[in-house]
Amino acid sequence: MRERARGPRHGPLQAVGAGQTLEDLMALVARGDESAFERLYDALAGPILGLVLRVLRDPAQSEEVAQEVLVELWRTATRYRPDLGSVRTWAMTLAHRRAVDRVRSAQAAVDREDRVAESQVERPFDQVADEVTSRLEREQVRRCMGTLTDLQRESVVLAYYGGYTYREVAQLLDVPLGTVKTRLRDGLIRLRDCLGVAG
Amino acid sequence: MNAEIHTLTGAYAMDALSEDERVTFEHHMAECPSCTAEVAELQDTAARLGLAVATTPPSSMKSEVLAAARRVRQLPPGGEPGLPSFTPTGPTGPGPFSPGPYGADSSGSDGSGAGQPGQFGPRPSGAGQAGSFGAGPSGAGQAGQTGAGRSGPGQFGAEPSGAGPPGSSGDGLSGRPGQFGVGLSGSTGTGPADAGLAGGSGMAGSAGGRSGPADGPFAASPDSAGSAGGFAGSPGDELAARRARRWPTWTAGLAAAACLVVAVVFGAQAFSAQRESRQAQEQLDLMLSVLAAPDARIATASAGDSRATAVVSQSQGKVAFMARGMPPLPDDRSYQVWSIGPTGMHSIGVMGTGADPAPVLGSLADGDSIGVTVEPRGGSTTPSTDPIMEFDLPT
């Protein structure tokens, strides 16, 4: 495992066997290496689809978005800069953004409002935990989620897994906007510190 | 820098800013190295949250992605401004994934001419799914809701009067959803085998009866609505089984929707045969507008060979209701459909004669349920008999 230039840690998915990191693979992908892309797929498709599915909920749409994200990784591999972030973060950031883009499209808006009325606010993290395949990652995240205050945790879960804007989160939790802004940041910082130590 | 805007690092890292705020914040980041560094760390952290919900992709996805990648030319290295999605703009640029997601994506497509959606262009079929129904996103929601409101399934069986052979008419319909199911799950990008599976379970959900076992999938939590039969892999595989369990409602919901679409179209044709076509066309248009409503929800019920499907749009205050395989009535009787709410029962419409009457379309208030009574032919202003069937709707 190679240490990234910036960022506190590597997670369990960073290693791709034979000492190859995702960053190594990405360099090969950038040169058009299809077998490297296949290995990249193997490492990232599950996390990408899982995240998109978490946000979008609609399996068909989620698979479509996940496919777009993966092909986008192929298309833009040449532009990837290891000094600016890990491949994993790059991929997950792209996946989350695409999922959120989709969710915020007009068509999805109504559906999302419906979800507010459902139960996501109540036991968000338990739901999240259902779909985990990476046991270690899940355990770390769960443990670290447990170190947040309720409001931090709820805010983070709604914003990240729910795909809500912080305004929507404020509305859902019935707290002032400024409070949500700071809770999102404080919550993530606490998670960062917790995961960093654990990872 | 502005302390207030600095607190947006968390929201930015989780894509929780509005478009305007995102643009503003990225401008801010361009001149705030500490913000940029913090965002990078928080994005790293957020990514960990994403990894924690990894799932197992359907096996078909891999070949599709690899095939799609083969058709997509990679960007040249370096990168002109505004081209690639997540290319850093330089050492002082706003963060590792600098041009934010939304702006960057759109500028990417503008600039390269091979934009995000386009580059995936000959998309296997997934795109068709949402489009063809015009209710892709709401599909999952519908399904989740479908079960929630279901109750009183068996009442349908209470035959009002006529005996007769109820089943015959249903067959034409029951053949349909299966076909639709195939088309549907095919469009999620899965293979034919999966398609069959989805079609089958859709049938089970929509037509197979509202009995105990069928309630299982329907009663699934909203959370479980986020999955599809299309994802179900090889039968027998434990993971596949788990996925299938987790995701049945969507399939059932879409199959039910397919069922109703077919029913509406066929119903309208029958309608059209009987009456003038303009009226039929209006009826069809109204039906389709309910079906296509973003908040359309579906409920189904069945007993024996009788099947009923309702699509409700709260935003339109409308319900499209249709039944198949209803027990025949004497010539001087009709089935009448009612909304049942706090203010009593109000007529939604009178069902046509025959076992396959045209769909009934009418108004329905939020929270109302639907009942069907046997009335003198042509209908009554108030129900003259007790409902032979009541139908709770998802709210």
Side-chain angles (χ1 to χ4, degrees):
Chain A
M1 288 229 235
R2 195 174 72 192
E3 198 53 40
R4 264 185 42 216
R6 174 172 30 210
R9 77 247 124 219
H10 290 291
L13 290 175
Q14 199 66 16
V16 191
Q20 259 182 331
T21 65
L22 291 181
E23 285 71 26
D24 296 336
L25 279 181
M26 201 58 151
L28 294 172
V29 172
R31 285 172 232 147
D33 184 332
E34 290 180 15
S35 77
F37 180 63
E38 190 173 343
R39 276 172 288 158
L40 195 73
Y41 175 97
D42 291 338
L44 292 174
I48 287 172
L49 179 62
L51 175 57
V52 173
L53 191 56
R54 166 56 51 190
V55 174
L56 285 184
R57 307 229 166 193
D58 178 298
Q61 279 199 79
S62 299
E63 193 180 331
E64 186 186 316
V65 169
Q67 291 193 6
E68 286 175 8
V69 169
L70 286 155
V71 174
E72 184 69 359
L73 292 181
W74 161 265
R75 194 175 77 95
T76 59
T78 47
R79 307 290 174 87
Y80 170 68
R81 293 257 310 268
D83 53 320
L84 293 177
S86 71
V87 167
R88 191 188 55 186
T89 298
W90 188 46
M92 297 308 279
T93 304
L94 179 58
H96 192 260
R97 286 172 170 179
R98 284 295 168 77
V100 164
D101 280 350
R102 184 66 70 103
V103 127
R104 289 181 193 161
S105 71
Q107 182 68 23
V110 173
D111 192 36
R112 191 157 40 92
E113 280 160 22
D114 289 345
R115 278 196 276 128
V116 176
E118 289 165 14
S119 66
Q120 206 186 15
V121 184
E122 285 156 30
R123 295 171 55 225
F125 194 66
D126 284 348
Q127 292 176 9
V128 163
D130 279 350
E131 290 177 17
V132 165
T133 57
S134 166
R135 195 181 191 84
L136 179 57
E137 195 67 35
R138 177 196 63 192
E139 287 309 324
Q140 286 180 1
V141 168
R142 177 195 283 281
R143 185 176 59 75
C144 291
M145 277 288 197
T147 69
L148 304 189
T149 67
D150 287 348
L151 188 52
Q152 284 174 341
R153 185 170 52 250
E154 285 167 350
S155 303
V156 166
V157 166
L158 286 171
Y160 191 72
Y161 293 122
Y164 295 105
T165 65
Y166 76 91
R167 283 176 199 282
E168 291 168 327
V169 172
Q171 209 177 328
L172 282 167
L173 298 178
D174 198 21
V175 294
L177 278 181
T179 307
V180 168
K181 270 192 251 182
T182 53
R183 291 308 173 273
L184 286 177
R185 176 167 179 255
D186 297 347
L188 269 191
I189 287 174
R190 199 180 279 197
L191 283 174
R192 175 197 67 189
D193 296 343
C194 176
L195 289 168
V197 171
Chain B
M1 286 294 125
N2 181 332
E4 166 142 27
I5 199 168
H6 192 88
T7 62
L8 288 177
T9 49
Y12 179 80
M14 288 188 278
D15 302 318
L17 296 181
S18 71
E19 179 66 14
D20 289 352
E21 289 166 320
R22 184 190 60 75
V23 170
T24 305
F25 185 73
E26 283 176 355
H27 282 132
H28 169 67
M29 277 204 298
E31 50 194 41
C32 174
S34 69
C35 301
T36 304
E38 183 170 300
V39 162
E41 290 184 1
L42 296 185
Q43 282 178 328
D44 226 15
T45 306
R48 298 288 294 275
L49 301 183
L51 295 175
V53 292
T55 188
T56 307
S59 54
S60 58
M61 194 170 113
K62 182 169 181 175
S63 54
E64 286 174 18
V65 167
L66 296 181
R70 252 175 251 125
R71 293 193 297 266
V72 171
R73 182 181 162 78
Q74 292 178 296
L75 292 176
E80 302 83 54
L83 254 183
S85 300
F86 282 18
T87 300
T89 55
T92 60
F97 309 118
S98 59
Y102 322 115
D105 287 355
S106 49
S107 68
S109 28
D110 293 341
S112 67
Q116 264 51 49
Q119 52 96 0
F120 210 62
R123 183 170 300 154
S125 51
Q129 185 267 330
S132 59
F133 263 155
S138 55
Q142 283 166 7
Q145 315 268 349
T146 303
R150 284 298 317 127
S151 71
Q155 295 149 0
F156 218 40
E159 291 194 7
S161 54
S168 55
S169 53
D171 294 347
L173 184 63
S174 68
R176 294 285 151 185
Q179 294 169 12
F180 247 87
V182 169
L184 268 175
S185 60
S187 68
T188 67
T190 57
D194 286 353
L197 200 105
S201 72
M203 280 303 293
S206 60
R210 304 288 322 147
S211 53
D215 277 331
F218 275 99
S221 69
D223 183 48
S224 70
S227 326
F231 276 59
S234 54
D237 171 313
E238 195 203 335
L239 262 178
R242 235 178 53 218
R243 287 195 299 275
R245 259 205 313 280
R246 224 166 50 214
W247 295 338
T249 49
W250 180 85
T251 304
L254 279 184
C259 186
L260 193 89
V261 167
V262 170
V264 166
V265 170
F266 277 67
Q269 283 174 358
F271 201 83
S272 155
Q274 291 166 13
R275 311 194 186 184
E276 62 184 62
S277 65
R278 194 172 63 88
Q279 194 181 355
Q281 185 60 46
E282 280 170 7
Q283 181 83 351
L284 178 59
D285 289 345
L286 285 168
M287 292 285 173
L288 292 176
S289 94
V290 173
L291 283 171
D295 64 343
R297 291 171 185 163
I298 295 172
T300 61
S302 85
D305 291 311
S306 304
R307 284 183 289 281
T309 303
V311 174
V312 180
S313 163
Q314 274 175 26
S315 65
Q316 300 188 0
K318 296 282 186 197
V319 58
F321 178 88
M322 102 153 291
R324 281 288 181 267
M326 296 289 281
L329 291 176
D331 283 348
D332 60 345
R333 301 276 151 180
S334 301
Y335 288 111
Q336 189 165 3
V337 185
W338 307 83
S339 66
I340 304 174
T343 60
M345 291 173 73
H346 303 281
S347 179
I348 291 175
V350 178
M351 286 166 59
T353 53
D356 292 331
V360 172
L361 181 86
S363 302
L364 192 77
D366 207 346
D368 284 358
S369 55
I370 288 178
V372 176
T373 63
V374 178
E375 301 294 334
R377 187 180 176 91
S380 309
T381 49
T382 56
S384 61
T385 61
D386 289 334
I388 55 160
M389 175 208 145
E390 281 188 46
F391 204 87
D392 285 341
L393 295 168
T395 53

